[in-house]
Amino acid sequence: MQAPEISYDRLRHLVVEDPRAARVLFLQILDAGGPILDHFLGQISSPIDGRLRQLVAGALRNNRERERLAPYLIAWQETETDEFSRRVIARALEGLATGSAAQTTLAFEVARLTAAMGREMAQRERLNRELEIAKEVQERLFPQRFPVIAGLNYCGRCRPAREVGGDYYDFLELSQEKLGIAIGDVSGKGIGAALLMASLEASLRGLAPLGNDLAELIKQVNRIIYESSSTNRYATLFYAEYDPGARRLSYVNAGHNAPVVLRKSKAGHQVFRLETGGAVVGLLAQSYQQDSFSLIPGDLVVLFTDGVSESMNGREGEWGETRLIELAKTCDGLPASEAMGRIFAAAEAFAAGASQHDDMTLVVLRVLAHRS
């Protein structure tokens, strides 16, 4: 027996293309009975399903089957707008012993609730399918390949709190062997945030290869987001370009959590924060400042969204940037991917099973001693 949802979709088309074959398939569902039949009948809730309701009402072979489907027939008769369908349903109910007015009322109420539940289930299934498609599309927006950059080991990962999210990271292969590095966090969650995330990615990818003035680049990205999004939508954004020849990271921080640069020294670890830039993108028309930071072999650069630093446990305690930095200090000598895994694991351990309340995104760079 086919899965109920496949039977519904198939029958919805087959009842128009080949009514006899549709009747045979429905009788198989009817004979199967139980949850398969109830699920199928509950899906017949749309106005366009009139042909299906005609099929069901006209295919019933005896009083036992008509009594079994009476709640559905009564509900369909009350809501059916097509006159021919109403007549077919009425014929199926003719002479049916409903026992009493109370039984008829009860049957109608059961049918009304069943139909409402069917519509709700069908709507949820449609939304779930749409979210699955949106999730697949968004996953394709994240980097599918990492350009090879001399002397740099790096990685990134996003873990959405829902099917789709508003966090963003990207790696852009630029001229002169430079690497563009982006991380962002769009306000809100769900489909709206995901759409703005896609717009942010498209704007940055389209403009980044055109010049070296990062402040002007982010100004233009901000203008696009500002003009194309609603007043309550904005995004934090950190964008940098790494020059492997000079080991220099040029950047603009547009309201994002300041990335951390950890440098091992004899006295311990030096901690630097990359803060220069301006306000979030998409909120106001504005200008930005850029800055640069010279890296040396062994440096670890950690870019993160607040879903990582603000991981919550069951007591609503927050992991915090201090714990994140202290954990990152334990990653000396580790490749970027292992450092990232250790940070994610520590955030999860702190949450201790509490549900993830926000998207979590990490980008980690490790500067190597050699450039080949």
Side-chain angles (χ1 to χ4, degrees):
M1 175 63 64
Q2 293 179 329
E5 63 273 13
I6 296 176
S7 298
Y8 167 76
D9 290 335
R10 182 178 172 187
L11 265 170
R12 190 162 55 87
H13 294 92
L14 197 60
V15 74
V16 176
E17 299 166 359
D18 189 346
R20 290 187 178 181
R23 177 187 172 91
V24 171
L25 182 55
F26 168 68
L27 290 176
Q28 292 176 0
I29 298 171
L30 181 61
D31 291 339
I36 291 179
L37 176 61
D38 289 335
H39 186 89
F40 170 72
L41 294 171
Q43 287 182 298
I44 305 176
S45 57
S46 170
I48 65 173
D49 288 334
R51 295 289 292 272
L52 273 181
R53 289 187 283 273
Q54 293 176 32
L55 168 70
V56 171
L60 302 178
R61 297 163 292 193
N62 51 54
N63 281 347
R64 179 174 172 275
E65 291 177 351
R66 289 198 290 272
E67 288 172 1
R68 167 73 176 84
L69 270 61
Y72 296 97
L73 296 172
I74 293 170
W76 293 345
Q77 189 178 42
E78 291 295 322
T79 59
E80 184 59 66
T81 58
D82 179 72
E83 185 58 32
F84 181 74
S85 296
R86 286 176 61 86
R87 288 200 299 269
V88 174
I89 294 169
R91 281 199 299 271
L93 288 168
E94 281 179 4
L96 196 61
T98 54
S100 66
Q103 284 181 307
T104 302
T105 302
L106 177 61
F108 175 74
E109 183 61 17
V110 170
R112 186 186 66 81
L113 292 174
T114 302
M117 290 175 63
R119 288 192 296 270
E120 178 68 19
M121 289 174 61
Q123 177 67 9
R124 288 188 180 186
E125 288 173 1
R126 284 192 292 270
L127 288 174
N128 287 337
R129 286 196 293 269
E130 290 172 0
L131 284 173
E132 281 298 317
I133 293 170
K135 179 181 179 181
E136 292 175 8
V137 170
Q138 187 172 54
E139 287 175 350
R140 296 295 300 176
L141 292 178
F142 291 120
Q144 302 301 304
R145 56 176 294 273
F146 294 175
V148 176
I149 301 298
L152 188 69
N153 176 238
Y154 67 98
C155 61
R157 181 182 175 190
C158 176
R159 182 184 298 166
R162 300 181 181 178
E163 286 83 356
V164 293
D167 273 13
Y168 159 66
Y169 80 94
D170 204 357
F171 301 118
L172 288 73
E173 190 170 13
L174 304 173
S175 60
Q176 300 174 334
E177 298 183 344
K178 290 183 179 179
L179 177 70
I181 305 156
I183 188 169
D185 186 356
V186 173
S187 63
K189 296 180 178 64
I191 295 293
L195 290 172
L196 186 56
M197 173 267 198
S199 178
L200 179 61
E201 183 203 43
S203 302
L204 197 56
R205 279 188 165 261
L207 294 172
L210 302 181
N212 296 319
D213 188 337
L214 303 193
E216 180 62 24
L217 165 64
I218 302 304
K219 179 181 178 180
Q220 293 302 318
V221 170
N222 174 69
R223 179 184 60 79
I224 293 170
I225 301 301
Y226 175 68
E227 292 176 354
S228 63
S229 62
S230 58
T231 54
N232 62 340
R233 288 289 186 186
Y234 60 89
T236 67
L237 174 65
F238 178 89
Y239 178 70
E241 292 184 358
Y242 179 67
D243 181 347
R247 289 199 181 103
R248 183 175 61 249
L249 195 70
S250 301
Y251 71 90
V252 174
N253 188 335
H256 194 73
N257 306 80
V260 178
V261 180
L262 293 174
R263 180 171 294 169
K264 185 70 179 295
S265 66
K266 292 181 180 179
H269 285 89
Q270 293 177 280
V271 180
F272 306 93
R273 304 300 295 269
L274 306 180
E275 300 174 327
T276 304
V280 297
V281 297
L283 202 57
L284 298 168
Q286 59 193 332
S287 298
Y288 293 86
Q289 292 180 292
Q290 74 179 66
D291 204 347
S292 64
F293 189 90
S294 295
L295 297 168
I296 63 174
D299 282 353
L300 184 70
V301 186
V302 181
L303 297 76
F304 58 94
T305 59
D306 56 15
V308 178
S309 58
E310 296 176 6
S311 295
M312 306 284 286
N313 60 24
R315 300 181 300 278
E316 297 189 354
E318 188 177 286
W319 192 38
E321 291 189 5
T322 299
R323 287 191 179 94
L324 189 159
I325 293 171
E326 290 304 310
L327 189 283
K329 289 178 180 178
T330 69
C331 298
D332 282 334
L334 292 181
S337 60
E338 292 186 28
M340 183 176 69
R342 184 175 290 191
I343 295 171
F344 266 125
E348 290 173 354
F350 178 83
S355 60
Q356 182 181 335
H357 74 284
D358 199 2
D359 305 329
M360 301 172 68
T361 303
L362 276 172
V363 171
V364 179
L365 317 175
R366 170 72 75 186
V367 183
L368 305 177
H370 54 86
R371 291 192 174 95
S372 59

